[in-house]
């Protein structure tokens, strides 16, 4: 079993970030910054509003590039959100998770890829479609995808 | 009447979890196997309809399942545990009191509204859970735990109830109680139901109406409480979970019987490492440890033994625990016994927070601090890569002490390497 590169080891769960209690070190003048210690930026808090209903999926394919979602992105889905037109949703289609935009046109709902020449799926014709959740963020690794 | 007990459980919980995270098996027949892929322990409703029996050994049905094209999965406890945890959080938010009864089952307490009716509340709770987690639950309501259990049973049995039933609001209560066989009443064991049937008591209504003296004489007050609960008298209160767990048990059946101390040592040390990892994850310390082992209970020279040792200072240090558990292993081992199961229990758990505050206090040796760090680093590496990437010298890696899960689904909601793909084709 090979270890991954050392930078990956630095990853610390956010719950473990805590400020050191500087006060107990009794040396001279107390730090003026002491009253301003913050917990640091917690991405969990920022990206996940509802941990109970949040799930992650890995994006495979490029049909949503125009929506800013790329192959291999880490997609955050919050199932507690009610899907509305304009939302990017994960749908169950032919036994797969499929990523599309929910569109409303002339009182019909469609699932559409954010790319030209992709046929839209009319939700009234396709009875077996279920919307699994609403995508909230896509995390894109800028360095890896450079090539 | 103003307070109601509700009993909630997940329908075909393990199968529902699998189907929720894997669209390829959604709406399809699916069975889940127990540890070591031994028996069928859960079925999707589709497999149930086909008539696949519960509890049947897998090898007996393997061919049939293949022929019928039924999906088979080993238990994926990481997945079930995560969904369960989320489910309980939703329930806790929505009940006044909550007792987690098992991985997919809970009792709750809720005050009835002015019109007494909890159907609206229940159906919205059901859809809330479905929307958030993609799994279906059933809700049984009654004045007591025993009645709420019966309600839940009826909720599942009858389609028209759509997963909710409230026996507290029913006029013809007796009609429903008569449908419930006495052995299905919560708390009535096999022996007691045999005794009751000999006396001509066959259903819940008859149990409720029989003479209490007879019950007390034979089975004491504990059994009387079941009868009282059937009458609507609350006797078994909701026990809210203590915030911290009091013990951790890790035990497994071996994939084949063992009779050497070396093998027992390997197994025990493996379990200790799993248990101590849990301990550190919960940020707790243990001050006593028990190791145990047993032969097949049906074998002629049935043998079981256990030994307990204490730590001077509560610890979560896997090195200290390993050393102690190996001493204890010598005590429980007996030659020529075909052992089929062993385990470890960490007792007297306490929170590590107090100790953490004093992390740098005088007297805390440098070595102790380093060891604690070392454990954390090892845990992190094992979490990132795979269990057993790094371990302590004694046990060999990857042997059969971990139950085999050949058909376990790849998907987990708790590990980034195991999340499913969503296609943008």
């Amino acid at each position: 079993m090979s270890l991954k590169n050392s930078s990956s080891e630095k990853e610390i769960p956010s719950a473990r970030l805590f400020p050191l209690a500087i006060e107990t070190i009794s040396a001279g003048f107390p730090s003026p910054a002491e009253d301003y210690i913050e917990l640091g930026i917690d991405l969990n808090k920022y990206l996940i509003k509802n941990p109970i209903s949040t799930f992650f999926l890995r994006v495979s394919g490029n049909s949503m590039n125009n929506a800013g979602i790329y192959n291999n992105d880490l997609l955050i889905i919050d199932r507690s959100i009610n899907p509305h037109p304009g939302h990017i949703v994960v749908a169950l289609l032919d036994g797969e998770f499929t990523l599309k935009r929910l569109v409303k046109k002339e009182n019909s709902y469609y699932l559409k890829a954010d790319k030209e020449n992709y046929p839209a799926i009319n939700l009234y014709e396709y009875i077996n479609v279920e919307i699994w959740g609403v995508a909230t963020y896509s995390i894109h690794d800028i360095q890896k995808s450079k090539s | 009447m103003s307070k109601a007990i509700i009993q909630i459980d997940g329908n075909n919980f393990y199968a529902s979890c699998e189907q929720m995270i894997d669209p390829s098996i959604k709406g399809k027949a699916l069975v889940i196997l127990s540890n070591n892929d031994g028996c069928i322990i859960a079925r999707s409703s589709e497999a149930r309809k086909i008539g696949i029996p519960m509890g049947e050994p897998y090898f007996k049905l393997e061919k049939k399942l293949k022929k019928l094209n039924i999906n088979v999965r080993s238990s994926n406890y990481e997945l079930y545990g995560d969904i369960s945890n989320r489910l309980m959080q939703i329930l806790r938010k929505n009940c006044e009191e909550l007792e987690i009864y098992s991985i997919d089952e809970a009792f709750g307490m809720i005050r009835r509204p002015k019109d007494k009716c909890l159907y609206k509340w229940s159906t919205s709770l059901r859809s809330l859970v479905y929307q958030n987690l993609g799994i279906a639950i059933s809700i049984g309501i009654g004045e007591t735990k025993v009645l709420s259990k019966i309600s839940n049973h009826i909720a599942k049995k009858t389609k028209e109830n759509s997963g909710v039933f409230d026996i507290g609001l029913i006029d013809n209560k007796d009609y429903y109680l008569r449908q419930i066989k006495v052995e299905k009443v919560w708390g009535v064991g096999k022996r007691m139901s045999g005794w009751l049937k000999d006396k001509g008591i066959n259903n819940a209504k008859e149990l409720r109406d029989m003479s209490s003296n007879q019950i007390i004489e034979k089975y004491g007050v504990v059994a009387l409480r079941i009868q009282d609960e059937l009458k609507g008298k609350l006797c078994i209160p909701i026990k809210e979970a203590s915030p911290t767990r009091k013990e951790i048990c890790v035990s497994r059946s071996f994939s084949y019987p063992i009779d050497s101390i070396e093998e027992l040592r390997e197994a025990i040390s493996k379990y200790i490492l799993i248990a101590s990892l849990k301990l550190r994850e919960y940020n707790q310390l243990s001050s006593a440890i028990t190791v145990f082992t047993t032969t097949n209970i049906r074998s002629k020279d049935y043998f079981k033994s256990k030994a307990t040792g204490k730590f001077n200072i509560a610890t979560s240090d896997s090195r200290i625990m390993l050393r102690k558990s190996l001493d204890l292993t010598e005590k429980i081992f007996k030659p020529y016994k075909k052992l089929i199961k062993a385990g470890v229990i960490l007792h007297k758990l306490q929170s590590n927070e107090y100790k953490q505050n004093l992390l740098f206090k005088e007297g805390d040796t440098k070595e102790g601090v380093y060891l604690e760090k070392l454990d954390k680093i090892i845990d992190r590496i094992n979490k990132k890569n795979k269990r057993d990437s790094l371990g302590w010298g004694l046990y060999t890696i990857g042997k059969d002490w971990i139950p085999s899960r050949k058909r376990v689904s790849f998907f987990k909601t708790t590990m980034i390497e195991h999340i499913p793909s969503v296609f943008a084709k």
Side-chain angles (χ1 to χ4, degrees), chain B residues 2-140:
Chain B
S2 78
K3 281 182 184 178
I5 302 290
I6 57 171
Q7 203 253 338
I8 300 161
D9 65 358
N11 301 353
N12 318 316
F13 184 68
Y14 293 176
S16 301
C17 292
E18 298 278 358
Q19 289 179 322
M20 175 266 174
I21 201 69
D22 182 355
S24 72
I25 52 174
K26 196 173 159 102
K28 295 194 174 153
L30 166 73
V31 297
I32 313 290
L33 306 178
S34 62
N35 269 342
N36 270 329
D37 292 348
C39 300
I40 293 174
I41 50 165
R43 304 158 297 166
S44 70
S45 57
E46 297 82 11
R48 215 181 264 241
K49 269 175 213 151
I50 296 174
I52 304 302
M54 190 78 158
E56 200 74 2
Y58 174 55
F59 72 89
K60 276 192 180 170
L61 287 178
E62 193 170 358
K63 274 190 191 148
K64 190 181 169 190
L65 293 171
K66 221 178 220 165
K67 218 167 121 194
L68 290 169
N69 225 350
I70 292 174
N71 298 281
V72 179
R73 294 275 192 277
S74 308
S75 352
N76 181 348
Y77 286 113
E78 294 88 341
L79 173 65
Y80 314 151
D82 181 43
I83 302 294
S84 164
N85 201 359
R86 293 170 190 243
L87 172 63
M88 298 308 168
Q89 285 183 60
I90 295 177
L91 300 183
R92 181 159 285 141
K93 273 190 193 166
N94 287 284
C95 296
E96 285 170 50
E97 289 167 32
L98 191 80
E99 174 182 347
I100 298 170
Y101 192 64
S102 72
I103 190 163
D104 68 336
E105 214 181 328
F107 287 103
M109 195 279 284
I110 184 136
R111 236 170 279 270
R112 285 185 187 275
K114 265 202 186 122
D115 66 353
K116 308 280 184 213
C117 182
L118 283 169
Y119 273 99
K120 217 175 135 195
W121 177 85
S122 304
T123 41
S124 48
L125 181 61
R126 279 193 91 225
S127 31
L128 181 72
V129 168
Y130 190 82
Q131 172 164 10
N132 280 255
L133 306 177
I135 61 163
I137 56 170
S138 295
I139 302 176

Side-chain angles (χ1 to χ4, degrees), chain B residues 104-311:
Chain B
D104 68 336
E105 214 181 328
F107 287 103
M109 195 279 284
I110 184 136
R111 236 170 279 270
R112 285 185 187 275
K114 265 202 186 122
D115 66 353
K116 308 280 184 213
C117 182
L118 283 169
Y119 273 99
K120 217 175 135 195
W121 177 85
S122 304
T123 41
S124 48
L125 181 61
R126 279 193 91 225
S127 31
L128 181 72
V129 168
Y130 190 82
Q131 172 164 10
N132 280 255
L133 306 177
I135 61 163
I137 56 170
S138 295
I139 302 176
I141 309 168
E143 281 87 64
T144 65
K145 277 185 175 174
V146 170
L147 288 171
S148 67
K149 265 281 210 191
I150 288 175
S151 273
N152 187 305
H153 187 73
I154 299 167
K156 276 210 188 67
K157 275 272 149 85
T158 347
K159 268 231 172 81
E160 304 84 74
N161 298 321
S162 63
V164 181
F165 190 75
D166 185 349
I167 202 165
L169 286 187
I170 295 282
D171 290 328
N172 50 347
K173 211 183 239 182
D174 289 6
Y175 166 80
Y176 286 99
L177 291 180
R178 246 183 249 121
Q179 315 286 315
I180 305 294
K181 287 187 188 141
V182 77
E183 66 267 25
K184 293 270 184 207
V185 175
W186 189 56
V188 173
K190 240 187 194 161
R191 278 228 314 262
M192 189 172 167
S193 72
W195 174 77
L196 286 167
K197 279 180 184 166
D198 286 346
K199 292 215 152 352
I201 307 292
N202 289 305
N203 60 50
K205 184 200 169 280
E206 288 166 358
L207 174 58
R208 184 196 64 190
D209 296 340
M210 77 182 282
S211 126
S212 349
N213 291 337
Q214 273 187 312
I215 298 178
I216 297 183
E217 248 171 57
K218 182 77 182 175
Y219 287 100
V221 274
V222 181
L224 184 69
R225 290 196 302 186
I226 302 171
Q227 193 190 32
D228 279 345
E229 286 241 326
L230 276 173
K231 291 176 183 164
K233 261 191 269 171
L234 186 62
C235 304
I236 312 169
I238 302 273
K239 269 180 263 155
E240 288 194 83
S242 53
T244 50
R245 52 179 71 210
K246 299 212 168 65
E247 56 177 48
I248 291 174
C249 175
V250 175
S251 79
R252 307 275 192 268
S253 298
F254 303 137
S255 23
Y256 55 88
I258 63 167
D259 55 9
S260 77
I261 185 142
E262 289 80 16
E263 288 174 301
L264 184 62
R265 268 192 213 127
E266 282 182 28
I268 293 286
S269 47
K270 188 125 190 172
Y271 302 158
I272 273 293
L273 291 175
I274 296 172
S276 69
L277 171 68
K278 277 191 189 168
L279 194 64
R280 289 190 293 275
E281 279 181 351
Y282 296 127
N283 206 12
Q284 289 183 311
L285 304 169
S286 160
S287 40
I289 174 175
T290 294
V291 303
F292 62 91
T293 187
T294 164
T295 64
N296 192 329
I297 194 161
R298 283 183 290 270
S299 68
K300 253 187 248 154
D301 56 345
Y302 172 58
F303 164 80
K304 68 172 182 180
S305 65
K306 64 174 183 182
T308 299
K310 282 184 191 151
F311 301 113

